[in-house]
Amino acid sequence: MSTSPPFNEEAIIELVRQVAGPAPAGVDVGLGDDAAVLQVGGLQIAVTTDLMVEGVHFDLSFCSPADVGHRVMAANLSDLAAMGAKPAWGFWSLALAPKPRREVVEPLARGLVDLGREHGLALVGGDTTAAPQMAVNLCLMGLLEGARPLLRSGARAGDAVCVTGPLGGSAGGLAWLAQGGNPSEPTADRAVQAYLRPRPRVAVGRALALSGRVTAMMDLSDGLASDLARLAKASGLGARVEADLIPLPNQLPTLAERLGADPLRWALSGGEDFELLFTCSPEDVPLLTEAAARAEDGTQVSQVGRMVPESGTFLQSGEGLADIAFTGYDHFPPER
Ligand SMILES: [Mg+2]
């Protein structure tokens, strides 16, 4: 009996890549990275788009419309950050359930516009339609302005694998809210904020790109396990990560214990932390740690592992070596 490979998110991207064909002249980076990079009149423009759907990406019973607006903007800004681009313009598409209410749309728009403005981005166009449930899409454009775009494919064997920020907070916050937890409970409040109000690393991404010392970069949207596997695959390499080196927020182990969950699993597979994942020479880690902290006060950089010539993404822990490739969030999981 033969089994065909799963038609999952990776397979869909590959199919679209084939249908779209090779990128025309003027496209410096095409399908498959965090953003495309276009050459327009001597400028390099990074363009990204990201969609969030009610019932899939957010639940209005514990996310306010302002939170939804903030999160959609954060997810998109995070992709520009991963390219080292400076945010400039945004376009949105908004699908609303019938009989839309001003009390929903206004805070949604404000949540989105306020975070964009904080990072120098203006909302300049869009489209609206009725739909069975709410869906918000953004398309953002940013300028490279002197930074070479950082791709997923540039890592070299022996490079250090680094991440910004602690990881897993967003998944912990979501797990807490989904169980009806009080958002201001002291063991959960920071995780809840990480989920509802993620801070995209725009200034840090820019500083890392301008340093010229980063070999590959992407943002962490689906969890370290999947995202690092994507970076390794794009670079034609593998990666080894050490469980002890993965930075977790202080309160997370306590929160996980209360929920009977594993905080490391949140960090590896939870997703939506919107931190940055990058690779560099091991000797450049201190310099880049400093550059990140200078760009945004208090930014933590941790080396969690290294790139290796053999393919596969593995986690080293007290329990031995485990294959973690693509164990993160999959938008189209196989049926079990
Ligand atoms: Mg991304």
Side-chain angles (χ1 to χ4, degrees):
M1 201 173 80
S2 73
T3 51
S4 51
F7 193 60
N8 55 14
E9 193 181 354
E10 308 297 320
I12 292 172
I13 294 168
E14 194 43 49
L15 174 66
V16 173
R17 202 199 299 268
Q18 281 170 24
V19 172
V27 179
D28 288 349
V29 179
L31 276 160
D33 221 294
D34 291 275
V37 178
L38 313 176
Q39 289 262 7
V40 185
L43 295 175
Q44 269 193 311
I45 301 181
V47 186
T48 186
T49 182
D50 215 270
L51 168 68
M52 286 197 186
V53 178
E54 182 183 353
V56 179
H57 298 91
F58 57 89
D59 184 330
L60 288 169
S61 66
F62 53 76
C63 286
S64 73
D67 295 331
V68 173
H70 180 106
R71 296 186 75 243
V72 181
M73 182 57 83
N76 279 275
L77 285 172
S78 184
D79 279 325
L80 287 186
M83 302 305 281
K86 209 170 118 186
W89 307 288
F91 302 81
W92 76 338
S93 295
L94 177 62
L96 291 166
K99 300 206 183 93
R101 289 182 302 130
R102 187 191 185 93
E103 305 86 273
V104 171
V105 178
E106 187 170 342
L108 174 74
R110 282 197 195 285
L112 185 145
V113 167
D114 286 351
L115 181 62
R117 194 174 285 144
E118 234 181 87
H119 294 283
L121 181 126
L123 190 68
V124 293
D127 184 33
T128 315
T129 183
Q133 78 260 53
M134 188 194 281
V136 193
N137 172 257
L138 268 175
C139 172
L140 301 190
M141 296 185 177
L143 299 167
L144 266 302
E145 276 185 5
R148 206 165 43 85
L150 285 173
L151 309 187
R152 299 173 176 190
S153 54
R156 301 161 307 189
D159 273 356
V161 174
C162 299
V163 296
T164 62
L167 304 180
S170 177
L174 171 60
W176 179 255
L177 291 172
Q179 297 210 357
N182 174 359
S184 43
E185 168 90 26
T187 39
D189 57 354
R190 270 168 297 159
V192 165
Q193 281 305 300
Y195 173 71
L196 294 178
R197 297 288 168 141
R199 310 299 311 173
R201 300 293 186 185
V202 175
V204 174
R206 184 104 186 114
L208 291 173
L210 288 171
S211 75
R213 304 291 184 97
V214 170
T215 52
M217 184 154 76
M218 68 184 292
D219 72 318
L220 287 166
S221 55
D222 293 342
L224 181 62
S226 284
D227 290 331
L228 179 56
R230 290 189 180 110
L231 186 145
K233 200 175 162 203
S235 297
L237 298 170
R240 298 286 179 276
V241 170
E242 282 181 49
D244 290 347
L245 299 179
I246 295 173
L248 301 176
N250 289 334
Q251 67 175 182
L252 210 64
T254 314
L255 181 64
E257 209 182 314
R258 286 186 66 174
L259 292 172
D262 177 1
L264 188 63
R265 217 184 156 74
W266 282 340
L268 288 170
S269 312
E272 299 193 315
D273 283 309
F274 301 120
E275 295 289 350
L276 294 171
L277 166 67
F278 65 91
T279 58
C280 62
S281 275
E283 58 266 32
D284 286 336
V285 174
L287 177 145
L288 293 171
T289 302
E290 229 169 85
R294 219 178 306 123
E296 197 185 320
D297 218 19
T299 304
Q300 187 186 332
V301 168
S302 311
Q303 182 180 345
V304 296
R306 60 195 176 84
M307 302 303 296
V308 296
E310 312 81 48
S311 66
T313 298
F314 289 89
L315 177 76
Q316 177 76 57
S317 73
E319 285 150 43
L321 204 60
D323 185 351
I324 55 164
F326 300 107
T327 53
Y329 188 77
D330 186 343
H331 297 275
F332 302 99
E335 285 175 52
R336 280 176 242 276

